[in-house]
Amino acid sequence: MTGVLIVGGSIAGVRTAEGLRRLSYEGGITILEAGPDLPYDRPALSKQLLAAGESAESVMLRSQADLDKAGIELRRGCRAVGLDVEARTVRLADGALIDYSDLVIATGSAPRKLPAAHGVHYLRTLRDALDLRDAIEGPVRVVVVGAGFIGSEVAAAATARSASVTVVEPYAFPLGRVLGDLVGKRLARLHESKGVQLILGRSVREVGADGAGGRRVVLDDGTTLDCDVVVVGIGATPRTGWLAGSGLDVADGVGCDEFCHASAPHVFAAGDVARWPNALFAEVMRIEHWTNAVEQAGVVAWNIVHPDKPRAYAPVPYVWSDQYGSRLQIVGRPRADDEVRIVLDDPADGSLVALYVRDRRLAGAFALNAPSQTLQLRRALAARAPLDEIMATIGVEY
Amino acid sequence: MKLFIEVEKCCGFGECIALAPDLFRMGEDNRARLIGAGTVDQADEERARTAAFACPAEAIGVEE
């Protein structure tokens, strides 16, 4: 085959394929997807499907007809197990070899597993979401392990569906490891105001049966929590196992240059699996968020079609999360050890804006129910605007 | 080329405004709006398409 081969049929893979067509790429485009489904929208799993109870159809990204019309061949249930960058072939589980002119690695990430945990839910695939939705129907007791984005969104969705929810988080506050204690405390209040019990500063030793048909969660201090459903959201790891022996740098995802080009000719990476130097922040990044997958896919498509004038990928990272009817937004690269400046805190509508300052520059921002300020900060980060200028326009420090 | 927004689909992510602040703005209801009638000059067409393509809610359409 001559054409672009894309491994992974989630948003990064699909958007790369569509981006190629948008740039008038006329060669063949094949997507290999290990799972059984047509492409679906992953943020919608925890947001619309779980929280709002929408149908599985509502989260589908593209129909077979859409793909046919775009001239994109999607091969479902087709797992790549090896890569030969010299011969330019990808090996499938059944031993078949597929060659490529350009390869895009978009295999995403897999949920990190909790050791010694049996009968627990994870949330990554459409099937995971449908299983979990069935499990949290009615007045069940749910224990969520991890108060990151997935854990917090699941806690909010289960609460909305009348489950009683306990969240266990090893850090002192939800998202505190990234956002620090000031914002973390505020997020703890958001959970607790909706009746969610937070157990902070504790980790899970094991999960087993409670002897009565439910699950028993044992914490590191010996506390036991009996419940009906356990959901684990403790991060993800890039899916690069199939690249072992390829010679590519896969230390933490697929190592790329600023053009998303991996360490072999005609090999690119996009989405959760890609690690690359972001010149705007002078930092090597690997980002597991939807917007990054979309933006990076666009750059990869461009760089495949225009190898003579490649574009560097230097975005302002952006992620949003919907919890308990509030919208959380993070732009840039906030860190817990940054200086945090609260520039908006309005108890009336629950809005909050926190700036993260490092080396006298804006490094990132967190916003709760403040979309217009988020936009403004995103632009300021893209322009590397001076901090005093940002402070003067965003509001008064107090 | 002409842009249109299905405002009821818009979730207020602001991708379009970040990419093309001269073509889109945020409405009072935190949903995106077009600046003007949505008619795009030839020089801005590629940027307009990029902004439309980036919408997570797929709320922006392009009439060529």
Short mmCIF file of all heavy atoms in Angstrom, two decimals, chain A residues 254-292:
data_model
loop_
_atom_site.label_atom_id
_atom_site.label_comp_id
_atom_site.label_asym_id
_atom_site.label_seq_id
_atom_site.Cartn_x
_atom_site.Cartn_y
_atom_site.Cartn_z
N VAL A 254 5.86 8.16 22.64
CA VAL A 254 6.75 8.17 21.48
C VAL A 254 7.46 9.52 21.40
O VAL A 254 6.82 10.56 21.24
CB VAL A 254 5.94 7.93 20.18
CG1 VAL A 254 6.85 8.03 18.96
CG2 VAL A 254 5.25 6.57 20.23
N GLY A 255 8.78 9.49 21.56
CA GLY A 255 9.56 10.72 21.53
C GLY A 255 9.59 11.32 20.13
O GLY A 255 9.91 10.64 19.16
N CYS A 256 9.23 12.60 20.03
CA CYS A 256 9.15 13.28 18.73
C CYS A 256 9.95 14.58 18.79
O CYS A 256 10.25 15.09 19.87
CB CYS A 256 7.71 13.63 18.40
SG CYS A 256 6.64 12.21 18.17
N ASP A 257 10.19 15.17 17.61
CA ASP A 257 10.76 16.51 17.56
C ASP A 257 9.61 17.52 17.56
O ASP A 257 8.44 17.14 17.72
CB ASP A 257 11.69 16.67 16.35
CG ASP A 257 10.96 16.54 15.01
OD1 ASP A 257 9.70 16.58 15.01
OD2 ASP A 257 11.64 16.40 13.98
N GLU A 258 9.94 18.81 17.36
CA GLU A 258 8.89 19.84 17.47
C GLU A 258 7.87 19.74 16.34
O GLU A 258 6.82 20.36 16.39
CB GLU A 258 9.51 21.23 17.52
CG GLU A 258 10.20 21.70 16.25
CD GLU A 258 11.69 21.34 16.18
OE1 GLU A 258 12.07 20.22 16.61
OE2 GLU A 258 12.46 22.19 15.68
N PHE A 259 8.17 18.92 15.31
CA PHE A 259 7.23 18.75 14.20
C PHE A 259 6.40 17.47 14.35
O PHE A 259 5.75 17.03 13.41
CB PHE A 259 7.99 18.73 12.87
CG PHE A 259 8.87 19.93 12.68
CD1 PHE A 259 10.26 19.82 12.72
CD2 PHE A 259 8.30 21.18 12.48
CE1 PHE A 259 11.07 20.94 12.56
CE2 PHE A 259 9.10 22.31 12.31
CZ PHE A 259 10.49 22.19 12.36
N CYS A 260 6.48 16.86 15.54
CA CYS A 260 5.74 15.62 15.84
C CYS A 260 6.26 14.45 15.01
O CYS A 260 5.54 13.48 14.76
CB CYS A 260 4.23 15.79 15.64
SG CYS A 260 3.56 17.21 16.49
N HIS A 261 7.49 14.57 14.60
CA HIS A 261 8.15 13.55 13.82
C HIS A 261 8.94 12.67 14.78
O HIS A 261 9.75 13.17 15.55
CB HIS A 261 9.10 14.23 12.82
CG HIS A 261 9.48 13.39 11.68
ND1 HIS A 261 10.52 12.50 11.73
CD2 HIS A 261 8.94 13.27 10.43
CE1 HIS A 261 10.62 11.88 10.56
NE2 HIS A 261 9.66 12.32 9.77
N ALA A 262 8.70 11.34 14.76
CA ALA A 262 9.37 10.43 15.68
C ALA A 262 10.79 10.16 15.21
O ALA A 262 11.23 10.69 14.19
CB ALA A 262 8.58 9.13 15.79
N SER A 263 11.51 9.31 15.93
CA SER A 263 12.94 9.13 15.68
C SER A 263 13.22 8.15 14.54
O SER A 263 14.23 7.47 14.54
CB SER A 263 13.64 8.67 16.96
OG SER A 263 13.01 7.50 17.48
N ALA A 264 12.33 8.05 13.56
CA ALA A 264 12.57 7.29 12.33
C ALA A 264 11.87 8.02 11.19
O ALA A 264 10.86 8.70 11.42
CB ALA A 264 12.03 5.86 12.44
N PRO A 265 12.40 7.93 9.97
CA PRO A 265 11.80 8.67 8.86
C PRO A 265 10.33 8.26 8.62
O PRO A 265 10.00 7.08 8.76
CB PRO A 265 12.66 8.28 7.65
CG PRO A 265 13.93 7.73 8.22
CD PRO A 265 13.59 7.17 9.55
N HIS A 266 9.52 9.23 8.27
CA HIS A 266 8.12 8.99 7.89
C HIS A 266 7.28 8.39 9.01
O HIS A 266 6.28 7.75 8.76
CB HIS A 266 8.03 8.10 6.63
CG HIS A 266 8.71 8.70 5.45
ND1 HIS A 266 8.15 9.73 4.73
CD2 HIS A 266 9.93 8.46 4.90
CE1 HIS A 266 8.98 10.08 3.76
NE2 HIS A 266 10.08 9.34 3.85
N VAL A 267 7.72 8.60 10.25
CA VAL A 267 6.91 8.15 11.39
C VAL A 267 6.56 9.38 12.24
O VAL A 267 7.44 10.14 12.64
CB VAL A 267 7.67 7.12 12.25
CG1 VAL A 267 6.79 6.69 13.44
CG2 VAL A 267 8.08 5.91 11.42
N PHE A 268 5.26 9.55 12.49
CA PHE A 268 4.76 10.66 13.30
C PHE A 268 3.95 10.10 14.47
O PHE A 268 3.56 8.94 14.44
CB PHE A 268 3.86 11.57 12.46
CG PHE A 268 4.56 12.22 11.30
CD1 PHE A 268 4.72 11.54 10.10
CD2 PHE A 268 5.05 13.51 11.42
CE1 PHE A 268 5.36 12.14 9.02
CE2 PHE A 268 5.69 14.12 10.35
CZ PHE A 268 5.86 13.44 9.14
N ALA A 269 3.72 10.94 15.46
CA ALA A 269 2.84 10.53 16.55
C ALA A 269 1.92 11.69 16.91
O ALA A 269 2.29 12.86 16.77
CB ALA A 269 3.64 10.08 17.77
N ALA A 270 0.71 11.35 17.36
CA ALA A 270 -0.26 12.38 17.74
C ALA A 270 -1.12 11.87 18.89
O ALA A 270 -1.38 10.68 19.02
CB ALA A 270 -1.15 12.76 16.56
N GLY A 271 -1.55 12.81 19.74
CA GLY A 271 -2.47 12.47 20.83
C GLY A 271 -1.73 12.05 22.09
O GLY A 271 -0.56 12.40 22.30
N ASP A 272 -2.43 11.29 22.94
CA ASP A 272 -1.90 10.92 24.27
C ASP A 272 -0.52 10.28 24.21
O ASP A 272 0.24 10.35 25.16
CB ASP A 272 -2.81 9.86 24.92
CG ASP A 272 -4.16 10.39 25.32
OD1 ASP A 272 -4.51 11.50 24.87
OD2 ASP A 272 -4.86 9.69 26.06
N VAL A 273 -0.24 9.60 23.09
CA VAL A 273 0.96 8.77 23.00
C VAL A 273 2.21 9.58 22.63
O VAL A 273 3.32 9.11 22.79
CB VAL A 273 0.71 7.63 21.98
CG1 VAL A 273 0.88 8.12 20.55
CG2 VAL A 273 1.58 6.41 22.25
N ALA A 274 2.02 10.82 22.19
CA ALA A 274 3.14 11.60 21.65
C ALA A 274 3.80 12.47 22.72
O ALA A 274 3.13 13.13 23.50
CB ALA A 274 2.65 12.48 20.50
N ARG A 275 5.12 12.48 22.71
CA ARG A 275 5.91 13.35 23.59
C ARG A 275 6.77 14.24 22.69
O ARG A 275 7.44 13.73 21.80
CB ARG A 275 6.77 12.49 24.51
CG ARG A 275 7.88 13.22 25.25
CD ARG A 275 8.53 12.31 26.31
NE ARG A 275 8.92 11.00 25.80
CZ ARG A 275 10.10 10.73 25.23
NH1 ARG A 275 11.00 11.69 25.07
NH2 ARG A 275 10.37 9.52 24.79
N TRP A 276 6.70 15.55 22.92
CA TRP A 276 7.41 16.44 22.00
C TRP A 276 7.78 17.72 22.74
O TRP A 276 7.17 18.06 23.75
CB TRP A 276 6.50 16.74 20.80
CG TRP A 276 5.62 17.90 21.03
CD1 TRP A 276 5.76 19.16 20.54
CD2 TRP A 276 4.45 17.95 21.89
NE1 TRP A 276 4.76 19.98 21.03
CE2 TRP A 276 3.95 19.27 21.85
CE3 TRP A 276 3.79 17.02 22.68
CZ2 TRP A 276 2.83 19.66 22.58
CZ3 TRP A 276 2.69 17.41 23.41
CH2 TRP A 276 2.21 18.70 23.34
N PRO A 277 8.80 18.46 22.24
CA PRO A 277 9.17 19.72 22.89
C PRO A 277 8.28 20.86 22.41
O PRO A 277 8.22 21.14 21.22
CB PRO A 277 10.61 19.93 22.42
CG PRO A 277 10.73 19.18 21.13
CD PRO A 277 9.70 18.09 21.13
N ASN A 278 7.58 21.48 23.38
CA ASN A 278 6.70 22.60 23.06
C ASN A 278 7.50 23.89 23.25
O ASN A 278 7.80 24.29 24.37
CB ASN A 278 5.49 22.57 23.99
CG ASN A 278 4.49 23.67 23.69
OD1 ASN A 278 4.84 24.70 23.10
ND2 ASN A 278 3.24 23.45 24.08
N ALA A 279 7.84 24.53 22.14
CA ALA A 279 8.72 25.71 22.19
C ALA A 279 8.08 26.87 22.94
O ALA A 279 8.78 27.67 23.56
CB ALA A 279 9.09 26.14 20.76
N LEU A 280 6.77 26.96 22.92
CA LEU A 280 6.09 28.07 23.59
C LEU A 280 6.34 28.04 25.09
O LEU A 280 6.41 29.08 25.74
CB LEU A 280 4.58 28.00 23.30
CG LEU A 280 3.72 29.18 23.73
CD1 LEU A 280 4.16 30.47 23.05
CD2 LEU A 280 2.25 28.90 23.45
N PHE A 281 6.48 26.85 25.66
CA PHE A 281 6.71 26.70 27.09
C PHE A 281 8.11 26.20 27.41
O PHE A 281 8.44 25.97 28.57
CB PHE A 281 5.67 25.74 27.70
CG PHE A 281 4.30 26.33 27.74
CD1 PHE A 281 3.50 26.36 26.60
CD2 PHE A 281 3.80 26.88 28.90
CE1 PHE A 281 2.24 26.91 26.63
CE2 PHE A 281 2.54 27.45 28.94
CZ PHE A 281 1.76 27.47 27.80
N ALA A 282 8.95 26.01 26.37
CA ALA A 282 10.31 25.47 26.53
C ALA A 282 10.28 24.22 27.42
O ALA A 282 11.02 24.11 28.39
CB ALA A 282 11.24 26.53 27.11
N GLU A 283 9.38 23.31 27.09
CA GLU A 283 9.18 22.14 27.94
C GLU A 283 8.80 20.94 27.06
O GLU A 283 8.04 21.09 26.11
CB GLU A 283 8.05 22.45 28.93
CG GLU A 283 7.81 21.37 29.94
CD GLU A 283 6.56 21.65 30.79
OE1 GLU A 283 6.20 22.83 31.00
OE2 GLU A 283 5.94 20.67 31.23
N VAL A 284 9.33 19.77 27.42
CA VAL A 284 8.92 18.54 26.72
C VAL A 284 7.61 18.08 27.35
O VAL A 284 7.50 17.96 28.57
CB VAL A 284 9.99 17.44 26.83
CG1 VAL A 284 9.50 16.14 26.21
CG2 VAL A 284 11.28 17.91 26.15
N MET A 285 6.61 17.85 26.51
CA MET A 285 5.28 17.54 27.02
C MET A 285 4.73 16.25 26.43
O MET A 285 5.08 15.85 25.33
CB MET A 285 4.29 18.65 26.61
CG MET A 285 4.60 20.00 27.17
SD MET A 285 3.31 21.17 26.70
CE MET A 285 3.91 22.61 27.60
N ARG A 286 3.87 15.62 27.22
CA ARG A 286 3.00 14.57 26.70
C ARG A 286 1.65 14.84 27.35
O ARG A 286 1.56 14.91 28.56
CB ARG A 286 3.52 13.18 27.07
CG ARG A 286 2.79 12.05 26.34
CD ARG A 286 3.38 10.70 26.66
NE ARG A 286 3.15 10.31 28.03
CZ ARG A 286 1.97 9.92 28.52
NH1 ARG A 286 0.92 9.86 27.73
NH2 ARG A 286 1.83 9.61 29.79
N ILE A 287 0.62 15.04 26.56
CA ILE A 287 -0.64 15.54 27.09
C ILE A 287 -1.78 14.59 26.75
O ILE A 287 -1.96 14.23 25.59
CB ILE A 287 -0.93 16.97 26.54
CG1 ILE A 287 0.16 17.92 27.01
CG2 ILE A 287 -2.30 17.44 26.98
CD1 ILE A 287 -0.01 19.33 26.55
N GLU A 288 -2.54 14.24 27.77
CA GLU A 288 -3.63 13.27 27.57
C GLU A 288 -4.98 13.97 27.53
O GLU A 288 -5.88 13.60 28.28
CB GLU A 288 -3.59 12.23 28.69
CG GLU A 288 -2.33 11.38 28.67
CD GLU A 288 -2.17 10.53 29.92
OE1 GLU A 288 -2.95 10.72 30.87
OE2 GLU A 288 -1.28 9.69 29.94
N HIS A 289 -5.10 14.99 26.69
CA HIS A 289 -6.37 15.70 26.63
C HIS A 289 -6.86 15.82 25.20
O HIS A 289 -6.09 15.85 24.26
CB HIS A 289 -6.24 17.10 27.24
CG HIS A 289 -5.89 17.07 28.70
ND1 HIS A 289 -6.55 16.27 29.60
CD2 HIS A 289 -4.94 17.73 29.40
CE1 HIS A 289 -6.02 16.44 30.80
NE2 HIS A 289 -5.05 17.32 30.70
N TRP A 290 -8.17 15.93 25.11
CA TRP A 290 -8.87 15.95 23.83
C TRP A 290 -8.35 17.04 22.90
O TRP A 290 -8.03 16.79 21.73
CB TRP A 290 -10.36 16.15 24.12
CG TRP A 290 -11.24 15.99 22.95
CD1 TRP A 290 -11.93 14.88 22.60
CD2 TRP A 290 -11.54 16.99 21.96
NE1 TRP A 290 -12.64 15.10 21.46
CE2 TRP A 290 -12.43 16.39 21.06
CE3 TRP A 290 -11.16 18.31 21.76
CZ2 TRP A 290 -12.93 17.07 19.97
CZ3 TRP A 290 -11.66 18.99 20.67
CH2 TRP A 290 -12.53 18.36 19.80
N THR A 291 -8.28 18.27 23.42
CA THR A 291 -7.89 19.39 22.56
C THR A 291 -6.50 19.18 21.98
O THR A 291 -6.24 19.54 20.84
CB THR A 291 -7.92 20.73 23.31
OG1 THR A 291 -7.86 20.47 24.69
CG2 THR A 291 -9.15 21.50 23.00
N ASN A 292 -5.61 18.60 22.79
CA ASN A 292 -4.27 18.36 22.30
C ASN A 292 -4.29 17.37 21.13
O ASN A 292 -3.61 17.54 20.13
CB ASN A 292 -3.37 17.83 23.42
CG ASN A 292 -1.98 17.52 22.92
OD1 ASN A 292 -1.26 18.41 22.47
ND2 ASN A 292 -1.62 16.24 22.93
#
